[in-house]
Amino acid sequence: MRYKNKWVVAASHEQMCGSPIVQEISKDLDIRIPTAQLLVNRGCMTPSDARSFLLKETEQLHDPFEMEDMDNAVYRLLEAVEENEKIVIFGDYDVDGVTSVSILYLYLKSIGADVGYYIPCRSGEGYGMSDGAVRKLAEDGCQLIVTVDTGITAVAEAKLIQALGMDLIITDHHECHTELPEAAAVVNPRRPDCRYPFKELAGVGVVFKFLCALESVRYPDDTMTDCVKRVSTRYCDLVAIGTVADVMPIRDENRLIVSYGLQLIESTDRPGLIELIEATRTESKYNTKRKITASFIGYTIAPRINAAGRIRDASLAVELFLAEDRMTAASIAQKLCDINHERQAEENKIIEAAYAQIAASHDFEHDPVIVLEDETWHHGIIGIVASRITEKYGCPSILISFEGNGEGGEDGDLGKGSGRSVKGLNLVDTLSRCDDLLVKYGGHELAAGLTITRENLPEFRRRINECARECLTETEIQPSLEADCELRPADIVMAQANELYYLEPYGVSNPPPVFVMNNVPLSDTALVGGGKHTRLTLKAGADGGGISAMCFRQTLDDLDLYSGDCVDVLFTMDINEYQNQRSLQFVVKDIRLTRTQFDAENADIALFRQIYSGIPVSELKLGRRTPAEIVPTREEFGAVYSLLRHELRIEHEVFSMRALLHLLRTGGIRMNYIKLKFILLTFRELGILGVEPLKEKDSEGSEVYAFRYIHLKQKADLEQSGIYRKLKYDFGMRQ
């Protein structure tokens, strides 16, 4: 997939090194030039700005009572505690919901409340409150329901709760619809009438503010600062996990919450966290303690917590955080890791089927939104797959599963969907323009869920693409990747990687730094992770040594790059710790041949097409190619035949043109595309080998062939090939 994505680099190496602002910040703060450039990219235009950013001096925690209805929520909940009413926390099944349930439950238990919790089953009940769940809670004697990370669209359920004699407090952070539910309190910073200055708290962030408000009312003689400190010390670890996992912007309050939470996790005494981190360490064969970063939370901890709610029961993850001893926690942590393995296997099945659907039926020129459906997809996993599709193709995607979901309807006619979007298309707003076609929907600007009937799906697909075409410009539809700056080998040192931790925590609004290196020699390739990932060795180190570069979820066939190639690479930089050794590592976001090599190879492809189409030699622009570099020799025919016959014996049957050229080069045979292509066409013409094209060369892919051995009764005569005879005649190579 070379040159599919456009790269937008904020600063070339020359611009970075020549910037007076960058130089001043670097000198004043005693940091390396690329680190200073990262600070400039984040809006720091003076050394003072940069120092303030690193020390988090401009961020502050806001008064929780600025949130609309917070006072009503606090007093109603404390009344329920005092009157010993039965309280049930109703939460969502993702990490944000699980951490929200956990901290509110732990707090209420600590003040003597009669409290339980309820998380709907994703496969049986679906997202949010439902009629059945509400009636069940009423039958169990619940008097007060407190929602966390859900409830803002539960208008009908709120009326039922009231009719059944219960009270309702809603805490949520999702986008509000026109009508708010009727409740004792609706606490959501996104309420249109809410004056709270920061709207982008996670669900667990809203609950955190709720706890701070509760604490301040319970201890009126203490300052709000003292109350916030106590709540933070007890729960900010879980608040940070939920915030990072829900991909909230890491700025304003979130930056402080996540920063402090990561510090707490580093030295946590919470049994569930200790054992979950230990389980991931054992699973990944790390022998040293991992540094706790936002990336570690997002890519290692969160998926294991999420897995429970996706394909099992999210209550298992809550039990992990409520565990009071390490033995209990260790057992639960191992179960979560096992469930995560199941989730990964199911995810891989779905992604393969989804890619096949896209290749077979999606019209990229006309439809900017990919809408896929299937009868068998697990709807707890389609959201992850939608994320991967949007990342791969650079456009919004919605996956819908008609797998039995317990919401009624005959023959599985209700489909549950999960969508991911791109910058420029607010997914919830777009879904609102299709609300007459949907049973329900909700979510954020870039991620949303929905339920739809089968009969409405064709019209929904048509209309959402119509809406997207109105919202997205052609530039926004074309995928582009952004990088902070260009690095040179002298910048690839451990000191630079260590300085990147200064800018933590990373996330939306403060993304992990992305770099570009150009003209990097590729010295080795290897499949890892059971063949699912590829590790490249790049000659990119300051000492000329090799740097490991991980290409996750990409095989060698996907990359179609080989030792000896020269590449441009777009990456994040990390420190890999293994067996007490620390080494630099790149995590590749995109990689492609250097422009020089790419253009040279495409020139050969274009020249071959001109020759093969019959354009007279006198009209060809041969460029750097001589006739001897176009017409293959008999020895070269023999070398290619011997190579392919050997590979077929060991059941290697499918190769790209670049892979074949690499194998020939490895065997000491230098050959270009033009010669190899004519050799393969001659083999096919004479029936020497079966040569079946699987994928034609285009600007975004590889040219791939499947080969088949043909047993010949007598030696083939190349002179019987019309292709070969004409080629020799045209270029004056007759023998």
Side-chain angles (χ1 to χ4, degrees):
M1 293 288 185
R2 297 184 300 279
Y3 289 90
K4 174 186 175 184
N5 298 309
K6 178 182 178 183
W7 293 4
V8 180
V9 185
S12 68
H13 194 267
E14 291 78 9
Q15 289 171 329
M16 175 174 68
C17 294
S19 166
I21 296 173
V22 170
Q23 294 288 340
E24 185 181 7
I25 291 175
S26 172
K27 182 178 180 180
D28 195 277
L29 273 65
D30 191 24
I31 55 177
R32 298 179 65 83
I33 291 291
T35 310
Q37 179 66 56
L38 297 176
L39 289 164
V40 170
N41 291 356
R42 284 151 180 75
C44 303
M45 304 309 292
T46 66
S48 177
D49 290 343
R51 187 174 291 104
S52 179
F53 180 90
L54 296 178
L55 296 176
K56 305 172 186 67
E57 292 176 340
T58 57
E59 288 83 1
Q60 60 176 318
L61 294 177
H62 308 294
D63 184 347
F65 286 103
E66 288 188 73
M67 217 172 285
E68 191 67 27
D69 255 5
M70 181 64 83
D71 51 351
N72 292 331
V74 167
Y75 289 111
R76 179 62 188 92
L77 185 57
L78 289 179
E79 177 187 37
V81 174
E82 186 175 335
E83 297 297 324
N84 203 34
E85 295 180 34
K86 186 170 183 178
I87 304 166
V88 175
I89 305 166
F90 193 108
D92 191 15
Y93 35 60
D94 65 1
V95 181
D96 193 9
V98 164
T99 51
S100 298
V101 168
S102 299
I103 67 170
L104 184 54
Y105 181 90
L106 287 168
Y107 184 86
L108 291 178
K109 272 292 183 184
S110 73
I111 63 174
D114 178 5
V115 61
Y117 63 87
Y118 185 96
I119 300 177
C121 175
R122 191 171 204 145
S123 60
E125 300 172 86
Y127 173 78
M129 305 188 81
S130 65
D131 184 290
V134 169
R135 292 184 184 279
K136 185 177 185 304
L137 293 179
E139 290 171 5
D140 291 342
C142 173
Q143 295 165 279
L144 174 64
I145 298 174
V146 183
T147 75
V148 293
D149 191 35
T150 189
I152 198 62
T153 62
V155 175
E157 291 80 5
K159 291 177 180 176
L160 178 60
I161 287 168
Q162 189 177 45
L164 292 173
M166 296 181 288
D167 269 353
L168 173 66
I169 294 173
I170 292 173
T171 73
D172 201 350
H173 74 126
H174 293 96
E175 296 285 354
C176 302
H177 291 191
T178 305
E179 182 182 1
L180 292 179
E182 295 180 13
V186 178
V187 180
N188 184 338
R190 293 184 183 275
R191 279 182 59 164
D193 59 345
C194 184
R195 66 184 185 279
Y196 196 74
F198 184 57
K199 306 294 185 182
E200 294 171 303
L201 289 167
V204 72
V206 176
V207 177
F208 169 74
K209 304 302 292 190
F210 190 18
L211 299 190
C212 292
L214 286 164
E215 190 77 352
S216 70
V217 171
R218 290 183 62 237
Y219 296 97
D221 294 335
D222 290 354
T223 66
M224 179 63 78
T225 299
D226 290 335
C227 295
V228 170
K229 284 181 178 178
R230 283 199 299 272
V231 173
S232 298
T233 301
R234 294 178 200 160
Y235 308 115
C236 226
D237 53 349
L238 300 185
V239 182
I241 290 171
T243 300
V244 170
D246 221 46
V247 200
M248 290 294 103
I250 306 301
R251 61 183 183 85
D252 203 283
E253 284 189 297
N254 285 345
R255 192 156 181 253
L256 293 177
I257 289 169
V258 173
S259 296
Y260 185 53
L262 295 177
Q263 293 175 34
L264 290 177
I265 297 170
E266 284 278 6
S267 55
T268 185
D269 58 1
R270 196 181 298 281
L273 270 182
I274 293 171
E275 293 303 326
L276 185 57
I277 292 170
E278 175 63 20
T280 65
R281 187 189 71 82
T282 303
E283 196 175 59
S284 61
K285 300 179 182 178
Y286 280 102
N287 293 322
T288 54
K289 183 179 178 181
R290 292 290 304 273
K291 182 172 179 61
I292 304 300
T293 64
S295 294
F296 177 70
I297 298 301
Y299 293 105
T300 303
I301 296 297
R304 288 158 174 80
I305 301 169
N306 240 336
R310 289 191 182 280
I311 60 176
R312 287 289 188 279
D313 184 350
S315 296
L316 186 63
V318 176
E319 290 174 23
L320 177 76
F321 295 133
L322 302 186
E324 296 181 353
D325 63 87
R326 290 188 58 175
M327 183 177 296
T328 302
S331 174
I332 299 172
Q334 187 56 55
K335 287 179 184 176
L336 291 177
C337 288
D338 293 342
I339 293 170
N340 190 51
H341 287 310
E342 291 182 46
R343 187 271 305 169
Q344 290 172 325
E346 187 66 25
E347 178 185 336
N348 289 334
K349 290 179 185 177
I350 296 174
I351 197 71
E352 288 180 13
Y355 287 163
Q357 273 198 42
I358 293 168
S361 62
H362 187 72
D363 181 358
F364 282 97
E365 291 187 7
H366 182 258
D367 292 336
V369 182
I370 297 172
V371 181
L372 308 176
E373 60 169 306
D374 194 89
E375 304 292 323
T376 62
W377 291 345
H378 194 300
H379 53 253
I381 297 174
I382 55 177
I384 306 173
V385 177
S387 294
R388 289 178 59 179
I389 289 172
T390 293
E391 181 180 354
K392 178 181 176 70
Y393 295 101
C395 53
S397 65
I398 297 173
L399 271 65
I400 298 168
S401 171
F402 286 95
E403 176 192 39
N405 52 46
E407 289 196 36
E410 297 181 1
D411 301 319
D413 278 340
L414 275 180
K416 298 180 69 63
S418 188
R420 300 294 183 269
S421 193
V422 297
K423 183 179 179 182
L425 184 73
N426 185 312
L427 194 51
V428 171
D429 286 352
T430 306
L431 290 175
S432 72
R433 297 173 63 181
C434 308
D435 62 356
D436 59 308
L437 301 172
L438 302 173
V439 177
K440 62 180 179 179
Y441 68 94
H444 305 298
E445 179 180 351
L446 298 178
L450 60 91
T451 302
I452 188 170
T453 60
R454 192 186 300 273
E455 65 178 4
N456 283 343
L457 185 55
E459 174 61 16
F460 171 74
R461 180 182 279 112
R462 185 199 68 77
R463 196 188 301 177
I464 198 166
N465 274 289
E466 181 182 82
C467 294
R469 284 192 294 273
E470 294 173 6
C471 296
L472 291 171
T473 65
E474 186 175 341
T475 303
E476 288 169 330
I477 294 173
Q478 289 296 319
S480 64
L481 298 173
E482 297 180 353
D484 284 282
C485 57
E486 178 191 359
L487 299 185
R488 299 282 173 83
D491 302 313
I492 310 302
V493 293
M494 191 66 72
Q496 179 59 67
N498 282 321
E499 284 190 1
L500 299 182
Y501 291 121
Y502 297 170
L503 281 72
E504 282 272 9
Y506 295 124
V508 178
S509 297
N510 182 32
V514 177
F515 305 106
V516 162
M517 284 192 77
N518 296 315
N519 302 308
V520 184
L522 172 57
S523 61
D524 194 22
T525 63
L527 288 174
V528 295
K532 295 183 294 185
H533 317 299
T534 302
R535 181 177 62 234
L536 308 177
T537 302
L538 303 174
K539 291 182 179 178
D543 58 357
I547 297 291
S548 176
M550 291 300 305
C551 302
F552 291 107
R553 301 192 187 100
Q554 288 186 292
T555 66
L556 287 172
D557 288 340
D558 295 329
L559 294 167
D560 203 26
L561 297 170
Y562 307 94
S563 58
D565 285 334
C566 198
V567 298
D568 299 338
V569 58
L570 186 140
F571 62 96
T572 59
M573 195 189 309
D574 197 6
I575 297 175
N576 184 34
E577 300 187 22
Y578 182 63
Q579 295 184 343
N580 297 314
Q581 297 292 319
R582 302 175 84 239
S583 60
L584 288 176
Q585 176 177 273
F586 293 173
V587 176
V588 175
K589 296 178 71 67
D590 199 12
I591 189 167
R592 61 197 189 188
L593 290 175
T594 59
R595 175 58 71 175
T596 300
Q597 187 174 345
F598 180 78
D599 288 345
E601 291 188 10
N602 278 344
D604 276 350
I605 293 167
L607 180 55
F608 162 78
R609 288 174 175 169
Q610 289 177 336
I611 297 169
Y612 190 64
S613 68
I615 294 176
V617 173
S618 60
E619 297 179 18
L620 294 173
K621 295 181 179 179
L622 298 182
R624 59 197 175 96
R625 293 300 182 199
T626 65
E629 293 176 302
I630 292 172
V631 182
T633 65
R634 291 178 179 273
E635 291 76 14
E636 288 169 330
F637 272 99
V640 175
Y641 180 78
S642 296
L643 170 69
L644 286 171
R645 190 173 178 185
H646 168 75
E647 294 296 327
L648 288 170
R649 283 197 190 106
I650 56 177
E651 298 184 348
H652 292 173
E653 300 170 344
V654 178
F655 297 93
S656 71
M657 287 290 286
R658 298 200 80 252
L660 280 178
L661 289 168
H662 168 68
L663 284 172
L664 289 164
R665 187 167 64 240
T666 302
I669 302 164
R670 307 293 299 185
M671 188 178 293
N672 61 55
Y673 173 92
I674 301 171
K675 281 189 174 184
L676 180 58
K677 184 78 173 189
F678 275 117
I679 288 172
L680 296 183
L681 290 174
T682 302
F683 284 165
R684 185 168 64 182
E685 180 191 16
L686 295 177
I688 295 173
L689 285 174
V691 182
E692 180 185 353
L694 297 183
K695 182 165 59 173
E696 294 300 325
K697 167 73 184 179
D698 56 33
S699 62
E700 297 181 357
S702 304
E703 186 177 353
V704 181
Y705 290 92
F707 296 92
R708 176 174 48 85
Y709 179 70
I710 297 175
H711 181 72
L712 298 177
K713 294 182 179 179
Q714 59 186 23
K715 188 175 181 180
D717 182 2
L718 293 177
E719 294 302 324
Q720 297 300 311
S721 166
I723 293 173
Y724 186 47
R725 288 200 312 271
K726 184 177 187 305
L727 188 65
K728 288 197 303 176
Y729 180 86
D730 288 347
F731 284 90
M733 303 290 285
R734 287 168 289 176
Q735 296 176 357

